[in-house]
Amino acid sequence: MNTDFTTWTLTVAIFFAALMLLFSYFSARYGVEHFNKVFASIILATGIAYAIVLKSTGLDALWGGDIFSLNGYAATYWGSILFISTCFFFLARFLSYVAIFGLITIALIIPFRLLGIEANPTLTIGSVIASLLITIFTRRHSIKVLVGATSGLYFSVLPSYLIAELYYENVTLATKAYVAITFAMPLIFAGIGIAIQYLWHEKLFGSLESENKQN
């Protein structure tokens, strides 16, 4: 029984990781040109994929019921997913500023937390002000940066999972290094995703403009 459950859990994890890689490619490939459509789609698709994982592993029961029942927390979950997806479809540009502001704020705070510096009003306010200024001065790049960061974060799911499995098999290694890697991995791949948008997009995916002319 335990073996069957472990196999099933591994299958679900591989399925989820494969979907995240697909979403990573989809957002990196088409995100800038069709920003609102791509982000609305992947938010909705990610919500569905996450629900399938919860249902397949029985984890939704820990939340008090069937995630596909549309009752209680499930109704709140699906309502939130649909609301955010719809907002991105109609208010993509504005929400790109909000998202970039949030990502920059987190990126500014995390290094201090990794160094053992606890959150305090000065650090929080300073990070918020710095993030706001950076967002304002880089607003013309918000969509490209958000697309790159998002595609990188989706891609980071696979290596993060593999590292988690490595440390799970070697419990003695689960130290501060694991915590640091856990936090650093998404940031590293987000940075790589942004670099792809600015430096290697055409080399990796070809020119969208030339493809549109041919069609």
Side-chain angles (χ1 to χ4, degrees):
M1 183 66 179
N2 290 335
T3 302
D4 292 340
F5 179 76
T6 301
T7 302
W8 175 246
T9 303
L10 178 61
T11 302
V12 172
I14 293 174
F15 164 76
F16 187 75
L19 278 181
M20 296 303 102
L21 292 178
L22 177 63
F23 296 160
S24 174
Y25 172 83
F26 186 63
S27 58
R29 179 70 175 80
Y30 301 105
V32 172
E33 188 183 30
H34 304 287
F35 180 68
N36 63 327
K37 298 175 184 177
V38 167
F39 268 67
S41 299
I42 63 173
I43 288 170
L44 181 59
T46 302
I48 294 173
Y50 185 65
I52 292 174
V53 170
L54 290 178
K55 179 65 176 178
S56 300
T57 56
L59 292 176
D60 60 337
L62 298 177
W63 288 9
D66 185 352
I67 194 157
F68 290 106
S69 66
L70 300 182
N71 295 318
Y73 85 93
T76 302
Y77 174 81
W78 290 112
S80 301
I81 294 296
L82 290 173
F83 176 75
I84 296 172
S85 180
T86 302
C87 285
F88 260 97
F89 188 82
F90 291 105
L91 302 171
R93 173 65 70 174
F94 171 74
L95 290 178
S96 70
Y97 300 148
V98 175
I100 287 296
F101 170 76
L103 288 174
I104 294 175
T105 302
I106 294 172
L108 291 176
I109 292 177
I110 284 180
F112 291 100
R113 299 304 301 272
L114 292 177
L115 293 173
I117 301 175
E118 296 295 328
N120 58 73
T122 302
L123 174 61
T124 302
I125 294 173
S127 298
V128 168
I129 293 175
S131 178
L132 182 60
L133 292 175
I134 295 173
T135 302
I136 291 174
F137 287 115
T138 62
R139 62 187 182 278
R140 293 184 178 180
H141 298 270
S142 62
I143 288 179
K144 186 171 286 190
V145 170
L146 185 59
V147 167
T150 301
S151 63
L153 290 173
Y154 273 113
F155 190 90
S156 70
V157 170
L158 179 59
S160 295
Y161 171 74
L162 295 176
I163 290 174
E165 285 297 312
L166 172 65
Y167 277 92
Y168 178 79
E169 295 295 333
N170 300 274
V171 181
T172 56
L173 296 177
T175 59
K176 291 183 178 180
Y178 172 67
V179 177
I181 292 173
T182 301
F183 279 104
M185 187 69 67
L187 295 178
I188 291 172
F189 279 94
I192 294 174
I194 293 171
I196 287 175
Q197 291 300 315
Y198 280 96
L199 302 175
W200 307 304
H201 186 278
E202 186 171 338
K203 182 179 294 185
L204 291 174
F205 306 115
S207 174
L208 288 175
E209 293 182 1
S210 61
E211 289 183 6
N212 290 336
K213 289 179 180 179
Q214 290 177 1
N215 294 331

